[in-house]
Amino acid sequence: MVKKTVGYVELEWTCPQCGTRNPGTGKICTSCSRAQPERVEFDQAAEEKLIEDREEIARAEAGPDVHCAFCGARNPAGAERCTQCGADLTSAEARESGRVMGAHRVGPAAPVTCPQCGAQNPATATRCAQCNASLPRASAAPKPLTQTPSTAGVKGGRKLGLLAILGIGAAALAAIAVCVIVVLALIPSREVVGQVQSVQWERSIEIEALTDVRHEDWRDEIPGEGRIQSCTQKHRSTQDSPASNATEVCGTPYTVDTGTGVGKVVQDCEYHVYDDWCTYAVQEWRRADTATASGNDYDPRWPGLRLGGGQREGDRAETYKVLFQTEDKTYTYTTSSLDQFRECQIGSRWKLKISALGGVKSIEPAG
Ligand SMILES: [Zn+2]
Ligand SMILES: [Zn+2]
Ligand SMILES: [Zn+2]
């Protein structure tokens, strides 16, 4: 985040003795002439107009005012002697500064009615133009419409709530699944005797072909062989310094107490760097087809392959199935072992271990 200065605005302070509002740069109360006390806080004006006067801005930039250790009078930063009592200011204490006061009040505030004569005065006025009575604080200008952090927070909260519910639901399902697996594992498997009815083997070879595959990435991350199809600008990173391909994004301006009676209006900004996000194609080996051979004998073979241009042989797979007939039903046993498959000659008898789910877990010759 970079702090950008929008400008400077006059603050106010309220006289603790007579309650009169005074301009921030004023050091003496306009009603009772009392000097501004050390601890009085500055407030934002109802309507903050940017100061144009260069000297006033320079004073605010010079640093917080100091209070004379002897008479308490407020003196500008860097002053050597107190303007009121002439005392040495080297041991004078600086006013507090840097406090964030609130959002910059840009919009016009409603006029203030004089409690004495009823005349309408601009919100920025501290005294009535007609009777010189001191005026109450005007209500602050409405906040700009773009600033809605509270609703964003609520929405975020709801989303989080929903995610939490989904998370709990998923965890519950996982727990139930684990229980089911444990219960099934505890059920002992049964043993039955079966006779081999028939056998079946299947062998397959995948045929792979060079295929155009689409990917997405930043332009400078695309491999050399990639053929770019289209690109759009996308937010890639955020940084504190401006750049030719970056957009400035700033938050709502706010007023900071400088300790001089003048507020500094600042804005936190960052730079979103945009870059080309592209879809591109590269040639990759992908499965295009599968050649399969099958039979019901004990001499399995691999399927014959006729590879075309841009094709190659991929993964191989083999499965062997044996169909057993027991007293009441038939079971299918699947294995990848050719040796075991060949032992299962038609008519031979086997002990079958049946799992809780009804599948054949393992077999061994019966007697
Ligand atoms: Zn006063
Ligand atoms: Zn003094
Ligand atoms: Zn008045």
Side-chain angles (χ1 to χ4, degrees), residues 68 71 82 85:
C68 171
C71 73
C82 175
C85 72

Side-chain angles (χ1 to χ4, degrees), residues 27 30 41 45 66-67 69 112 140 165 168-169 185 215 248-249 274 295:
K27 296 181 169 78
T30 53
E41 266 197 9
V66 296
H67 283 274
V112 185
I165 290 166
I168 291 164
H215 295 278
E248 188 182 58
V249 181
Y274 282 77

Side-chain angles (χ1 to χ4, degrees), residues 114-119 121 128-133 135:
C114 173
Q116 294 292 323
C117 70
N121 288 275
C128 175
Q130 193 164 297
C131 73
N132 205 34
L135 294 169

Side-chain angles (χ1 to χ4, degrees), residues 130-215:
Q130 193 164 297
C131 73
N132 205 34
S134 78
L135 294 169
R137 183 178 302 282
S139 53
K143 281 185 182 171
L145 283 173
T146 48
Q147 200 202 18
T148 52
S150 53
T151 49
V154 168
K155 267 186 203 159
R158 270 191 210 136
K159 241 181 222 168
L160 275 181
L162 192 65
L163 281 179
I165 290 166
L166 285 177
I168 291 164
L173 280 179
I176 290 167
V178 167
C179 289
V180 168
I181 289 166
V182 167
V183 167
L184 285 179
L186 288 175
I187 296 173
S189 46
R190 296 179 294 122
E191 224 174 59
V192 291
V193 173
Q195 199 170 24
V196 176
Q197 281 285 294
S198 63
V199 293
Q200 191 198 9
W201 57 265
E202 190 179 292
R203 282 182 168 185
S204 60
I205 304 174
E206 285 185 359
I207 298 167
E208 294 180 339
L210 271 175
T211 316
D212 265 351
V213 182
R214 269 166 57 118
H215 295 278

Side-chain angles (χ1 to χ4, degrees), residues 273-289:
V273 178
Y274 282 77
D275 208 349
D276 272 345
W277 177 259
C278 305
T279 58
Y280 65 96
V282 279
Q283 295 241 300
E284 285 174 14
W285 289 105
R286 289 290 159 102
R287 193 182 72 187
D289 204 354

Side-chain angles (χ1 to χ4, degrees), residues 7-282:
Y8 291 86
V9 293
E10 176 108 38
L11 300 174
E12 303 179 349
W13 60 278
T14 305
C15 174
Q17 186 154 294
C18 69
T20 299
R21 284 163 56 233
N22 289 284
T25 48
K27 296 181 169 78
I28 308 281
C29 174
T30 53
S31 286
C32 69
S33 299
R34 196 193 139 151
Q36 184 211 58
E38 250 175 84
R39 296 286 158 224
V40 81
E41 266 197 9
F42 291 117
D43 295 305
Q44 280 179 276
E47 184 183 329
E48 295 180 317
K49 287 208 174 103
L50 294 183
I51 296 172
E52 312 257 313
D53 189 296
R54 288 186 175 277
E55 260 179 57
E56 225 178 306
I57 292 170
R59 250 198 315 274
E61 282 173 340
D65 291 346
V66 296
H67 283 274
C68 171
F70 297 94
C71 73
R74 208 172 111 200
N75 287 273
E80 287 176 5
R81 301 216 157 262
C82 175
T83 50
Q84 190 162 291
C85 72
D88 180 32
L89 286 176
T90 43
S91 60
E93 212 182 310
R95 276 197 68 91
E96 261 183 46
S97 64
R99 178 172 63 98
V100 173
M101 308 182 76
H104 174 42
R105 296 171 178 174
V106 219
V112 185
T113 310
C114 173
Q116 294 292 323
C117 70
Q120 294 263 301
N121 288 275
T124 45
T126 54
R127 305 194 78 90
C128 175
Q130 193 164 297
C131 73
N132 205 34
S134 78
L135 294 169
R137 183 178 302 282
S139 53
K143 281 185 182 171
L145 283 173
T146 48
Q147 200 202 18
T148 52
S150 53
T151 49
V154 168
K155 267 186 203 159
R158 270 191 210 136
K159 241 181 222 168
L160 275 181
L162 192 65
L163 281 179
I165 290 166
L166 285 177
I168 291 164
L173 280 179
I176 290 167
V178 167
C179 289
V180 168
I181 289 166
V182 167
V183 167
L184 285 179
L186 288 175
I187 296 173
S189 46
R190 296 179 294 122
E191 224 174 59
V192 291
V193 173
Q195 199 170 24
V196 176
Q197 281 285 294
S198 63
V199 293
Q200 191 198 9
W201 57 265
E202 190 179 292
R203 282 182 168 185
S204 60
I205 304 174
E206 285 185 359
I207 298 167
E208 294 180 339
L210 271 175
T211 316
D212 265 351
V213 182
R214 269 166 57 118
H215 295 278
E216 290 187 11
D217 213 333
W218 299 108
R219 188 186 278 276
D220 59 8
E221 304 274 338
I222 295 172
E225 69 272 22
R227 281 164 291 120
I228 293 176
Q229 291 168 331
S230 67
C231 301
T232 49
Q233 286 271 300
K234 210 168 118 173
H235 178 198
R236 185 170 186 178
S237 61
T238 302
Q239 62 185 44
D240 283 346
S241 54
S244 60
N245 54 343
T247 318
E248 188 182 58
V249 181
C250 295
T252 308
Y254 56 94
T255 304
V256 178
D257 185 1
T258 64
T260 63
V262 167
K264 186 181 188 177
V265 181
V266 294
Q267 217 173 0
D268 293 321
C269 299
E270 55 186 19
Y271 296 89
H272 289 185
V273 178
Y274 282 77
D275 208 349
D276 272 345
W277 177 259
C278 305
T279 58
Y280 65 96
V282 279

